[in-house]
Amino acid sequence: MASIEQHLFPPSAPFPVLHGHGLRLRHWDATSEADVETWLRGRTDPEFQRWNTPLKAMNDLVDARASLAEKALAAPERTVADYCVTDAATGAALGHISVDAINPVMRTGRIGYWVLPEARGRGVASRSLAVVSRWALDELKLQRLELGHALGHEASCRVAERCGYGYEGTLRGAMFAEGRVDRFRDMHLHGRVAGDPEPRLRPHPADADPTQQN
């Protein structure tokens, strides 16, 4: 008899490329110089570093390539779905979004994302979150998705609530302080479960054009 994990996530089926809201969410490519440079830019951006403190420091292209290579090696485990967010019409990279800590038994996952400086102010975070959330709930059959951000990150609060992730509380000392791995700060927790009302985002013109769905 097949396990719950095998039923939900067949080992031979890779996570698909996703489309919607004028975006194409594709997989990162550790062999692509452009992707490595984009990954480095995003992870070393001052605004990203203000709100996120990764366990491993990233200082150059060598670090960025190694980081993406690690993600590629972990992909078959199917516990993380990492996506490079791109413009559906031009292919330009706009940012990153992922469903992390996927638990096929409890049917839970955790959302993370960032947007490149030049793409901010265009609703990229909200649009990509709407696309990946719908996929995770409908196709992966997850029951619950969580999204956490540092206390004071009001932009992430707005994105979460706009996409149906209600505020569920403040977790004390739940994430690293800015630039430190020996100090901690509080985190807002947002959640969305299967069956919650679908948020109403403004339709993107590209969604009406079948040529953008290639």
Side-chain angles (χ1 to χ4, degrees):
M1 180 179 295
S3 67
I4 294 175
E5 183 174 357
Q6 291 172 328
H7 175 69
L8 291 175
F9 308 139
S12 61
F15 289 137
V17 173
L18 306 178
H19 303 268
H21 293 289
L23 302 174
R24 180 174 183 264
L25 277 56
R26 62 168 176 80
H27 304 295
W28 289 94
D29 182 358
T31 67
S32 164
E33 291 300 323
D35 274 17
V36 171
E37 291 174 3
T38 298
W39 187 250
L40 178 64
R41 273 205 309 128
R43 295 289 293 261
T44 57
D45 175 69
E47 188 67 8
F48 173 86
Q49 295 189 334
R50 177 185 177 189
W51 301 111
N52 303 274
T53 306
L55 277 172
K56 293 183 179 180
M58 187 176 299
N59 301 307
D60 52 32
L61 290 172
V62 173
D63 291 342
R65 184 174 292 105
S67 175
L68 285 182
E70 286 181 6
K71 289 184 175 296
L73 288 174
E77 298 177 7
R78 301 176 67 78
T79 58
V80 178
D82 285 303
Y83 286 105
C84 177
V85 180
T86 69
D87 185 281
T90 68
L94 305 174
H96 163 79
I97 193 164
S98 63
V99 185
D100 303 312
I102 297 173
N103 185 324
V105 177
M106 295 304 297
R107 302 190 183 189
T108 57
R110 185 177 61 231
I111 302 291
Y113 58 83
W114 49 259
V115 177
L116 291 169
E118 66 271 20
R120 291 172 189 154
R122 295 159 49 187
V124 172
S126 297
R127 289 188 282 141
S128 59
L129 180 55
V131 172
V132 82
S133 299
R134 193 70 273 152
W135 167 72
L137 294 171
D138 286 355
E139 303 301 323
L140 292 188
K141 305 299 183 184
L142 297 185
Q143 165 63 21
R144 176 176 170 83
L145 294 171
E146 294 184 351
L147 188 162
H149 63 79
L151 187 66
H153 197 344
E154 299 302 327
S156 268
C157 238
R158 290 192 295 271
V159 168
E161 293 178 349
R162 188 178 300 128
C163 291
Y165 287 74
Y167 169 69
E168 296 186 342
T170 298
L171 306 183
R172 297 179 297 160
M175 63 186 301
F176 289 134
E178 181 181 353
R180 303 290 296 266
V181 294
D182 58 346
R183 294 185 181 180
F184 297 84
R185 56 182 163 180
D186 295 349
M187 180 182 83
H188 271 187
L189 175 66
H190 295 260
R192 180 173 169 182
V193 299
D196 279 349
E198 184 70 16
R200 300 184 65 178
L201 294 184
R202 180 179 301 175
H204 193 279
D207 290 339
D209 182 358
T211 64
Q212 301 299 333
Q213 302 301 313
N214 295 329

